[in-house]
Structure formats: structure tokens, C-alpha cells
Amino acid sequence: MADPRFFDRAGPFTLAELARVSGARLLSDSDEERLFRDVAPLEMAGPDEVSFLDNRKYLAAFRDSRAGAAFIDAATAEEAPPGMALLLASEPYKAYALAAQAFYPALPVIAGLAPSALIDPAAIIQDDCEIGPHVVIEARAQLGRRCRVGANTVIAAGVEIGDDCRIGANVTISHALIGSRVVLHPGVRIGQEGFGFAPDRAGAIKVPQLGRVVIGDDVDIGANTTIDRGSGHDTVIGAGSMIDNLVQIAHNVVLGRCCILAGQVGISGSTRLGDFVMIGGQGGLAGHLNIGSGARIAAKAGLMRDVPAGTTVSGIPAVPIGDFMRQTAVLHSLGRKKDRR
Amino acid sequence: MADPRFFDRAGPFTLAELARVSGARLLSDSDEERLFRDVAPLEMAGPDEVSFLDNRKYLAAFRDSRAGAAFIDAATAEEAPPGMALLLASEPYKAYALAAQAFYPALPVIAGLAPSALIDPAAIIQDDCEIGPHVVIEARAQLGRRCRVGANTVIAAGVEIGDDCRIGANVTISHALIGSRVVLHPGVRIGQEGFGFAPDRAGAIKVPQLGRVVIGDDVDIGANTTIDRGSGHDTVIGAGSMIDNLVQIAHNVVLGRCCILAGQVGISGSTRLGDFVMIGGQGGLAGHLNIGSGARIAAKAGLMRDVPAGTTVSGIPAVPIGDFMRQTAVLHSLGRKKDRR
Amino acid sequence: MADPRFFDRAGPFTLAELARVSGARLLSDSDEERLFRDVAPLEMAGPDEVSFLDNRKYLAAFRDSRAGAAFIDAATAEEAPPGMALLLASEPYKAYALAAQAFYPALPVIAGLAPSALIDPAAIIQDDCEIGPHVVIEARAQLGRRCRVGANTVIAAGVEIGDDCRIGANVTISHALIGSRVVLHPGVRIGQEGFGFAPDRAGAIKVPQLGRVVIGDDVDIGANTTIDRGSGHDTVIGAGSMIDNLVQIAHNVVLGRCCILAGQVGISGSTRLGDFVMIGGQGGLAGHLNIGSGARIAAKAGLMRDVPAGTTVSGIPAVPIGDFMRQTAVLHSLGRKKDRR
């Protein structure tokens, strides 16, 4: 079970309740009233804990699991160990997520301003916000309802933030308009000047960075990620986008809705992504590109060209995934041939 | 126009004035007295706003632009829409930058110490500095004239900083000597111990890191970038160098003058760069290399060897750009041949 | 010599003393009583300073060095300039490190709480800790003996930290159990939520992240590095591991003992490393992999598969180093052939 030093648990819940909140179907009605106290990984779960199987790499752990119940897809039901109650779902991980949310609901916001927080009199902060110690909020900044702001965070003049946002500790935000239900993890940097200058033998000439960062609703931004403000246009992060740690997003970049960027991705200036674009860890995109909706960019890829909607690319420079796999296979075989000589 | 919540604008200016500050030549004298209120990107500019064209990717936007004037090179003048006043410059982006600086001059420093700032009595801070809330400045640290230090920044004992520096929020600096007109964006880490240890089966033996970070004038360092102090020699950032976000510079690295490092570049210990070296995003350099002046290292490149002055390299491991392009072409063609079999 | 603005030096020491603390063997007994005042790099050292040679790249600097003494291996002794006293060691860098520690011992912890630090009454902090300005330590957090915590650092509720830890400025820690003698450099982020969600067309469904970060003794974590807490299992950093700057470690990752991760490495979720694994700069590992003890992963490598113990791999996708070198050679030669046609 989750360490009680760090987590407060709700429940217990019957399997019927867990089936209801997760949208899963309980395989056997006779299990409906069984009580469950927690969620847990397959190897750690006991008889009153519910687990899940989503990746066949862990099938052996599933077969050996002592979990009292598990979310699985119907095709895997027959692999279950005897006595395990089965919650069938087409997407078991999603169903598990909803059940886990029932056991571990989001921490309530405790309204109040820490005495050491410095709030400019011309800032507008709703009474039900929770503002941590040593926070600095400058003039004309606005926070919506039920926002939480972690210790030592700095929100600069004029920034606007919607409702129910969770902002971690040691964050800095300037020149930004932020939607509702946005999560910023510790150390995020939003709105600083982009990397804009005209190189010159006598020294770079700085180009004033006159745009903003505009972040839609339900966006999640990982620890120590940096998002520069636009140079004239805005930098835009579409609603529902999920951005991992240590990602770099340059000025004027536009992300559509529900994009997913894994850790250490870098996107150069003025590149535009459609909706539902996915980029694997350490992927890098050159500037001024257009990436169509639903495109998938593999981890480590280096993009030099536009990518049509729905295409998967990989490699440096990135090519369609089929080409990349053939290139890799040819190279592999040439390497071995040379070896045999 | 730039969002007035975040930016204060000067002006208006006549085209004659804008030509003068930017060094551009106004194509038609009859436009000299036309008044302009702002700068703006091509798609957003109106009749009293001045724009620029620097990248032929945006030629269509240029032809359709409603901008009253634009900076362009002479060769593109004939593509201009009717009625647009033309400011000719061999480097239009540079001329635009200077005009934009006229409309948006750097924010003045407002002299004063925030009451919550903790300044050691043995620190030396000029009276005309602006020191933000919760800043910590330790003993014997020195700041020159007209420096601005953002909230929650920590400047450790003995650090020396020149005049007119802008230091963002949540920055940490130790063991460093910093020139004038240096900009440190939020979350920058300067002067911490380098990654110096002797591996040992019983546990790594730490090597005391006894050097400093020495930063020249007019250097710009991006958000969350890290620069470790030297181990014995210093880590040196040459004057006029521009460093983007999330860059890692290890101990004893030396950058010459006016180097340009894009986002997420990493340079391993004791590697030395000449002047005017450029490194594309996510480029990585092994340790103990010598990179000649004017070398260009492509985005994503992985450098294992020295690079002569003036050379452009790409690939992992990096090779001269011509070789890289041939390798890429061969690989591409082999991949397709295999497919056809 | 090290800049006295930043470093306090002990000594002087006789060569006999330096030989003793470093485990080196003094080649000539007649040098035993010579006094040395400092350590220094070969090019900078003078007659009363001791240096070292560990990398034959610097052999010319060794021959020209004015250093009064140097740590070297026996095989290189004959290259020494006349008059230089020689301290023979099979691992000269290690011996140098121990001598340098004698001249520059770790700064003593100055017990005390800064008046501006905010310590929850239910936190447990030993009296001999040094807690910097504006530090925030929440309820039930525990710090062992002689810990130093830098300015503006935030330690969240329930976190447990062992003895003799050095925590830099602007660090955030939550949901973590940390051993003794651990060093966290400025801007480190530990314990935030992992990148855990189930993608959904209607918006990602967050998966509660219910694990912790467990860090063993003698671990060193570089500036602005991020380590997410586990999702159910813990994220584990084995004792003695050394992690450089800007590294990303995702949820549920397990590092064994004494792993070494260079700058900007990224490890995806649930990947497990054995003991003594080394990863070069910007290396990236996919999720759910097993990396055997003693494996070496080259800089820039992109790992998609498990790596057996003791194996060295390189490339994207990573292959055994011999295969990688052959692939590189073949590609190189094909590129040139095409050129000659």
C-alpha cells in the first residue's frame, strides 16, 4: 500500500463500486460485494488490493500475483491465477487509473495565504486559493478559484491563471495566460525571453521578445521544463497537452490539443504541431516546421522536415518509421558482413 | 501589438527615425514622415506597424501582409504588396531588432532592496541596484551598478558581478566572476561542483573542485542551464556568447568569444571552443576536445574528435557535413533497395 | 592556487604526509620532508604545488610542468621533467583526489537555523544542522545529524533524510526517503509526480503516482536533475551512485549501487539498472528495460532493448560497441565510395 507518510487513502470500496467508477465490467457477479482497501502493483498486491495488467511483459507477474482483483482485457482473462476477481476493460490502465483516483483523490486546497508570501496589492487572488511560504505575486497578476501555489514560486506582473491550477514550488512564470486545471511541477520556467538575436561579429543584437505564453486548460508541465514566450506571435500549448520533465519549448512554438511530449524533448522556434502529436524522449525538432495532427515522432529522432498528419517518423534525420527500420536492418547486416571477411 | 499587460511601448516613430536607428535605407523618400506605432509579425501587422521578412519560408505571408512597412533585403523588394513602405537592409532581421528595441527599450532598473532580501553586511551592492524579494546575497559578494536581481535568487560568498546585469528569479550563483551586461534567465545554476570523482569499487572518491566560473561581458544564459565550476582550471564563457535553455556545461570547459549554443546542448569536461563556434540543439561534445573558431556543429551531433576551425560537422559520431550528407543519402538508397527486393 | 575568495586551504603538508593520505609511493625517499602548499593543474602548478597526470593527452603539459611533485603511474615516471618529485600510484587521479581533499577538506557545517527559515513544529531537525534562509520544511519531515540545507529549498511533508547530507539552494524534495552523506546540487527536483496518465481522446486520465523516491547512502545528484517518484513501486537510486546535471529519471526506475550517469541522460519509466552501470552524456533508455551490472552505455546512445551484464553498447538503436564501430566504418566507406564516382 502507498506509504501513509505521504498519501491519504479513501475507501474501502466494493468491487461493484470500483467497476462503476472505472467503467469496467466485473466478470463474476458473485464478487460484487467484496471489499478492497487499496490499489497496488502486481508483485506487491495482496488479497484486498486491486491491480492491473496492461503490458504483456508483466504476464508472469500477473500469473503469480496475490492481488484479490485486477483490471485486464478480456483476452487475458484466462491467464489469471485462481481466485482473482477480474474487472474487464478494453483499456485496463485507464480503468485502473480511475479506480486509483477513487482511493487517492486529489489533495484538497486549504485556502489561505502564508504570512511570508508577498502579494502585490494590485494582484487579484481568489479567497479560496492556497498560497505557500515566500511566494511572490506581482502587480495585476490574477489567479482563479482554488489554485495552489507552492513555496518560493514567483508569478510576475500581469500573469493570468484560471481555476483549480496546481503550481509547484520554485516555479517562475511571466508573460503568460494560463487556463484552468493546469499543473506546473517544481522548477518550471514559463515566459522568459526566447533565444532571439541577430548574430553579428561585433556581438549579438537582441531582438525584443514581445509575445506571450498561452497555455490551454488541463495542461500538465513537468519539472524543470522551460517554455519561452513568443517573439511577436505567442508560444501556445494546446489544451490537454502533457509535457514531461526537462523539455525545452522555444519561442513561437504552437502545440495543438492533447500533444504528448516525453522527457528532454526539444522544439526549436516557430515549429507548429497539430493535435494529438506524440514525441518520444529526447526527440528534437528543428525550427519553422509543420507537424500534422496525430504524427508520432520516435524517441531520439531529429526532425529536419515537415511531417504529414498521422505519420510515424524516426532517426536522425528523421524518416518514416518503415524506412528507418529498413535502414537499420541494412546497416546491421553490412556491419556483420564486414565482420565475417 | 504587444500585450500592454506585459509590455510598455515607446514611440510613435517616423520611418526616417526607424531608418536611422536601424541603419536601414528607406526605399522611397516620400515615406519619411509616415508615423509608425509598433512592430509586429507579417500576419498580424497593420498599416501603422512595421514588420520584416528574413526567411523565404514566409514569402507568402509577406505578399499578403497588411504591414505599413517592412525591413527586407533589396532582392526581395519586388515581392512587396502595393503600398508597403520598404526599409532595405542587407540583414533585415538585425535592422528589425534595432527598430524593435526603439519601441521596446529595456525596462529601467528601479533602485532599491526588497525588505525581505537578506544581504550580508560584508557584501558590496551599489545603491542603484534593484534587489528582489527573498534574495540572498552572502558575504563579500559584489554587484556593480544598475544590476537587477530577481526574487528568490541566491548569490553565494565572494561572487563578483559587473554592471548592468539582469539576473532572473530562482537563480543560484557561487564561485563565479561575472562581467557586465550579462543576462541570467530564471533557474540558471552557476558555480556548483563539477562531476569530478575517481570511480572506485568501494565508492567514488570525490575530487575537490577548486576552480571558478568566469563569464565575460554581454553573455546571455538561458533558463535552467547549468555551468559547473572548474576543477582546477576555470570554466570560462567568452564575452558575447549566447547560451539557450537547459544547456549543460561541465567543469573546465572554455568557450571563446561570441559562441552560440542552442537548447539542450551538452559539453563535457575540459573541452575548449574557439570564437564564434555554433552548436545546434541537443548537440553533445565529448570531453578534452578542441573545437576551432568558426566551427559549426549541427543539431543532434555527437562529437568524439577535435574539429578544425571553420568546419561544419554533423552526425553521431560527427563527421564533416558533406560526408554526413553522403552517408545519409547512401543509407536512404540502401534502405529503399532492400525494400524493392 | 585556488582562489582564496572561494576556498579555504589547509596545509602545508610534507610529501611523506601526502603519500600517506593518498596511498601513493614516493619514488625518492630524499623528497620526504619537502613541504607542499597546494594542488594545481600541470600548466599552473609551481615548485611548492603538487599535480597529476592521468590522461596521456596532457603528456606535453606534464613534460613542461613546473610542478614540484606529481602523482603518476610508474610507466610514465621517465617522462617527468628534472627535479619533479614523483608520487607513484596505479590510479594517479584517485591518489590526487585524496591529496586534494587534505588541502581542501569539506566545509564544516555551522549549526543553526536561519531566522527566515520556516520549520514546521512537527518536523524533526537535529540541533547540529545548518538550515539556510527562506528554507521551508514541512510537517513530519526528518533530517539527520550535521545536514546542511541551502537557501530557498523546500522539503515537503514526511520526507526523511539521513546524516551528513548537503542539500543545495533552490532544491525541492517530496515523497522521498534519503540516506546519509547524500549531496543534492542546486535546482534538483525529487519526488514530484511521474509522467503517468492514460491517453484518451477526451483528455488524458491521470494515474495517481503512489510510490516514493528512495535514495541510498553516498549518492550525488547534479544541478537541475529531476527524479520522479514511483507510480506504485518506488523509484530507487542505489548507494554510491553519481548523477550529473540535467538528468531525467522517470517513475519506477531502479538504479543499483554505484551507477554513473553523465549529463542530460534520460531513463524512461520502470527501467532497471544493475550495479556499476555507466551511461555517457545524453544517453537515453526506453522504458521497462533491464540493464545488467557493469554495462556501459555510450554517450548519445538510444537503448530499445535489454543489455546483458558487462556489455558495452552504442548507437541509435544501441548495439554492442563492436557492431557499432563496424557499422560506422562501413557507412563511412560507402559515403566515400559514392563521392568518388
Side-chain angles (χ1 to χ4, degrees):
Chain A
M1 68 175 222
D3 188 330
R5 284 172 291 192
F6 301 117
F7 301 97
D8 292 328
R9 196 176 54 199
F13 298 105
T14 63
L15 277 187
E17 286 170 304
L18 292 176
R20 185 181 53 77
V21 299
S22 66
R25 185 169 65 82
L26 190 55
L27 186 61
S28 161
D29 289 352
S30 65
D31 291 324
E32 275 191 353
E33 294 310 309
R34 286 174 61 181
L35 266 186
F36 280 77
R37 301 193 177 280
D38 207 345
V39 290
L42 288 169
E43 306 86 330
M44 297 164 65
D48 60 356
E49 294 176 323
V50 59
S51 194
F52 72 101
L53 177 69
D54 190 47
N55 180 336
R56 294 186 65 87
K57 261 197 162 169
Y58 299 104
L59 197 52
F62 177 65
R63 291 191 189 113
D64 292 343
S65 179
R66 294 176 53 248
F71 292 98
I72 55 162
D73 57 26
T76 322
E78 61 192 17
E79 307 277 358
M84 182 188 279
L86 298 178
L87 291 148
L88 302 183
S90 57
E91 297 172 287
Y93 189 48
K94 198 178 291 181
Y96 165 80
L98 294 165
Q101 288 178 4
F103 281 108
Y104 296 95
L107 284 182
V109 172
I110 312 292
L113 271 64
S116 61
L118 296 171
I119 316 289
D120 189 281
I124 300 175
I125 314 286
Q126 299 301 315
D127 285 347
D128 49 8
C129 287
E130 176 179 352
I131 310 292
H134 306 133
V135 165
V136 176
I137 303 183
E138 298 185 352
R140 292 169 293 103
Q142 296 187 32
L143 269 73
R145 312 210 54 163
R146 297 170 301 275
C147 288
R148 180 188 296 132
V149 180
N152 294 338
T153 282
V154 180
I155 300 177
V159 167
E160 298 188 6
I161 297 175
D163 299 330
D164 298 297
C165 290
R166 276 195 296 131
I167 300 174
N170 284 307
V171 167
T172 59
I173 312 173
S174 72
H175 305 86
L177 307 178
I178 296 179
S180 291
R181 298 174 303 281
V182 169
V183 178
L184 306 182
H185 291 284
V188 163
R189 312 292 166 210
I190 289 179
Q192 57 281 342
E193 284 173 350
F195 199 53
F197 57 89
D200 186 274
R201 298 295 292 189
I205 298 171
K206 303 274 184 80
V207 179
Q209 301 291 300
L210 303 170
R212 306 166 300 184
V213 177
V214 179
I215 298 179
D217 295 337
D218 300 298
V219 166
D220 197 298
I221 299 178
N224 283 350
T225 281
T226 58
I227 304 180
D228 289 346
R229 71 175 183 261
S231 61
H233 297 93
D234 293 322
T235 304
V236 179
I237 309 296
S241 291
M242 308 296 285
I243 299 176
D244 201 353
N245 297 350
L246 291 168
V247 169
Q248 151 68 353
I249 297 185
H251 54 188
N252 309 330
V253 166
V254 175
L255 268 62
R257 289 177 51 243
C258 297
C259 290
I260 298 174
L261 275 52
Q264 297 173 319
V265 159
I267 307 184
S268 304
S270 302
T271 283
R272 302 172 70 91
L273 279 60
D275 301 332
F276 296 99
V277 172
M278 294 177 62
I279 310 181
Q282 300 181 338
L285 282 64
H288 303 280
L289 301 182
N290 282 291
I291 312 300
S293 288
R296 287 161 176 254
I297 297 163
K300 286 268 180 192
L303 241 72
M304 310 290 289
R305 302 203 180 161
D306 292 352
V307 175
T311 312
T312 300
V313 298
S314 184
I316 307 172
V319 292
I321 186 74
D323 291 2
F324 175 74
M325 291 175 71
R326 279 188 293 273
Q327 289 179 12
T328 299
V330 168
L331 198 53
H332 195 73
S333 114
L334 285 173
R336 276 178 304 167
K337 275 179 200 159
K338 192 185 173 200
D339 193 32
R340 282 201 291 269
R341 276 177 219 153
Chain B
M1 67 176 223
D3 188 330
R5 284 172 290 192
F6 302 116
F7 301 96
D8 291 328
R9 197 175 55 199
F13 298 106
T14 63
L15 277 188
E17 287 171 303
L18 293 176
R20 184 180 56 76
V21 300
S22 67
R25 185 170 65 81
L26 190 56
L27 184 62
S28 161
D29 289 351
S30 64
D31 290 326
E32 275 190 352
E33 295 309 309
R34 285 174 62 182
L35 267 186
F36 281 76
R37 300 192 180 280
D38 207 346
V39 289
L42 289 168
E43 306 87 330
M44 297 164 66
D48 59 356
E49 293 175 325
V50 59
S51 193
F52 72 101
L53 177 70
D54 190 48
N55 181 339
R56 293 185 65 87
K57 260 198 165 170
Y58 298 104
L59 197 53
F62 178 65
R63 292 192 189 110
D64 293 344
S65 179
R66 293 175 54 248
F71 293 97
I72 55 162
D73 58 26
T76 323
E78 62 191 16
E79 307 277 359
M84 181 189 279
L86 298 179
L87 291 148
L88 302 183
S90 57
E91 297 173 285
Y93 189 48
K94 198 177 292 182
Y96 165 81
L98 294 166
Q101 288 178 4
F103 281 109
Y104 296 94
L107 285 182
V109 171
I110 312 292
L113 272 63
S116 60
L118 297 172
I119 317 288
D120 188 281
I124 300 175
I125 315 286
Q126 300 301 316
D127 285 348
D128 49 7
C129 288
E130 175 178 353
I131 310 293
H134 306 133
V135 165
V136 177
I137 303 183
E138 298 184 351
R140 294 169 291 105
Q142 297 187 32
L143 269 72
R145 311 210 53 161
R146 296 171 302 276
C147 288
R148 181 188 295 130
V149 181
N152 294 340
T153 282
V154 181
I155 300 177
V159 167
E160 298 188 6
I161 297 176
D163 299 329
D164 298 298
C165 290
R166 278 196 293 129
I167 299 174
N170 283 308
V171 168
T172 58
I173 311 174
S174 72
H175 305 85
L177 307 178
I178 297 180
S180 290
R181 297 174 303 283
V182 169
V183 178
L184 306 182
H185 291 284
V188 164
R189 311 291 164 209
I190 288 179
Q192 56 280 342
E193 283 173 353
F195 198 53
F197 56 90
D200 186 275
R201 298 296 292 189
I205 297 172
K206 304 272 183 82
V207 179
Q209 301 290 300
L210 303 170
R212 306 165 301 184
V213 177
V214 178
I215 299 180
D217 295 336
D218 300 298
V219 166
D220 198 297
I221 299 178
N224 283 351
T225 281
T226 57
I227 303 180
D228 289 346
R229 71 174 182 263
S231 62
H233 297 94
D234 293 322
T235 304
V236 179
I237 309 295
S241 291
M242 309 295 286
I243 300 176
D244 201 354
N245 297 350
L246 292 169
V247 169
Q248 152 68 353
I249 296 184
H251 54 187
N252 310 330
V253 166
V254 176
L255 268 61
R257 290 178 49 243
C258 296
C259 291
I260 298 175
L261 275 51
Q264 296 173 320
V265 159
I267 307 185
S268 304
S270 302
T271 282
R272 302 174 69 91
L273 279 60
D275 301 331
F276 296 100
V277 172
M278 296 177 60
I279 310 181
Q282 299 181 337
L285 281 65
H288 302 282
L289 302 182
N290 282 292
I291 313 299
S293 289
R296 288 161 175 256
I297 297 163
K300 285 269 180 194
L303 241 71
M304 308 290 288
R305 301 203 181 162
D306 292 352
V307 176
T311 313
T312 300
V313 299
S314 185
I316 307 173
V319 292
I321 185 76
D323 292 1
F324 176 73
M325 291 175 70
R326 279 188 292 274
Q327 289 179 12
T328 300
V330 168
L331 198 53
H332 194 73
S333 115
L334 286 173
R336 276 177 305 166
K337 274 179 201 160
K338 191 185 175 201
D339 192 32
R340 281 201 293 269
R341 275 176 220 153
Chain C
M1 69 177 222
D3 188 331
R5 284 172 290 193
F6 301 117
F7 301 96
D8 292 327
R9 197 176 53 198
F13 298 106
T14 62
L15 278 187
E17 286 170 304
L18 293 176
R20 185 180 54 77
V21 299
S22 67
R25 183 170 66 81
L26 190 55
L27 185 60
S28 161
D29 289 351
S30 64
D31 291 325
E32 275 191 351
E33 294 309 309
R34 286 174 62 182
L35 266 187
F36 280 77
R37 302 195 177 280
D38 207 346
V39 289
L42 289 169
E43 306 86 330
M44 298 165 65
D48 60 355
E49 293 176 324
V50 58
S51 194
F52 72 101
L53 177 70
D54 191 46
N55 180 338
R56 293 185 65 87
K57 260 198 164 168
Y58 298 104
L59 196 53
F62 177 65
R63 293 193 189 110
D64 293 342
S65 178
R66 294 175 53 248
F71 292 97
I72 54 162
D73 56 27
T76 322
E78 60 191 19
E79 307 277 358
M84 182 188 278
L86 298 179
L87 292 148
L88 302 184
S90 56
E91 296 172 286
Y93 189 48
K94 199 178 289 180
Y96 165 81
L98 294 165
Q101 289 178 4
F103 282 108
Y104 296 94
L107 285 181
V109 171
I110 312 291
L113 271 63
S116 60
L118 296 171
I119 316 288
D120 189 282
I124 300 175
I125 315 286
Q126 299 302 316
D127 284 346
D128 50 7
C129 288
E130 175 179 353
I131 310 293
H134 305 135
V135 165
V136 176
I137 303 183
E138 297 184 352
R140 293 169 292 104
Q142 297 187 32
L143 269 72
R145 312 213 51 167
R146 297 171 301 275
C147 288
R148 181 187 296 131
V149 181
N152 294 339
T153 282
V154 181
I155 300 176
V159 167
E160 298 188 6
I161 297 176
D163 298 330
D164 298 297
C165 290
R166 277 196 295 130
I167 300 174
N170 283 308
V171 168
T172 58
I173 311 172
S174 72
H175 304 86
L177 307 178
I178 297 180
S180 290
R181 298 174 303 282
V182 169
V183 178
L184 306 182
H185 291 284
V188 164
R189 312 291 165 209
I190 289 179
Q192 56 281 342
E193 283 174 352
F195 198 55
F197 55 90
D200 186 276
R201 300 295 292 187
I205 298 171
K206 303 273 185 79
V207 178
Q209 300 291 300
L210 303 171
R212 307 165 301 183
V213 177
V214 178
I215 298 180
D217 294 336
D218 300 297
V219 166
D220 197 297
I221 299 178
N224 283 350
T225 281
T226 58
I227 303 180
D228 290 346
R229 71 175 182 261
S231 62
H233 296 94
D234 292 322
T235 304
V236 179
I237 309 295
S241 291
M242 308 295 287
I243 300 176
D244 201 354
N245 298 348
L246 292 168
V247 169
Q248 152 68 354
I249 297 184
H251 54 190
N252 309 332
V253 166
V254 175
L255 267 63
R257 290 178 50 242
C258 297
C259 290
I260 298 175
L261 275 51
Q264 296 173 320
V265 159
I267 306 184
S268 305
S270 302
T271 282
R272 302 173 71 90
L273 278 61
D275 301 332
F276 296 99
V277 173
M278 295 177 61
I279 310 181
Q282 299 182 337
L285 281 65
H288 303 281
L289 302 182
N290 283 293
I291 313 299
S293 288
R296 288 162 175 253
I297 298 163
K300 285 270 180 191
L303 241 71
M304 310 290 288
R305 301 204 181 161
D306 292 352
V307 175
T311 312
T312 300
V313 299
S314 184
I316 308 173
V319 293
I321 185 75
D323 292 1
F324 176 73
M325 291 175 71
R326 279 187 293 273
Q327 288 179 12
T328 300
V330 168
L331 198 52
H332 195 73
S333 114
L334 286 172
R336 276 178 303 167
K337 275 179 202 160
K338 192 184 174 200
D339 193 31
R340 281 202 291 271
R341 274 175 221 155

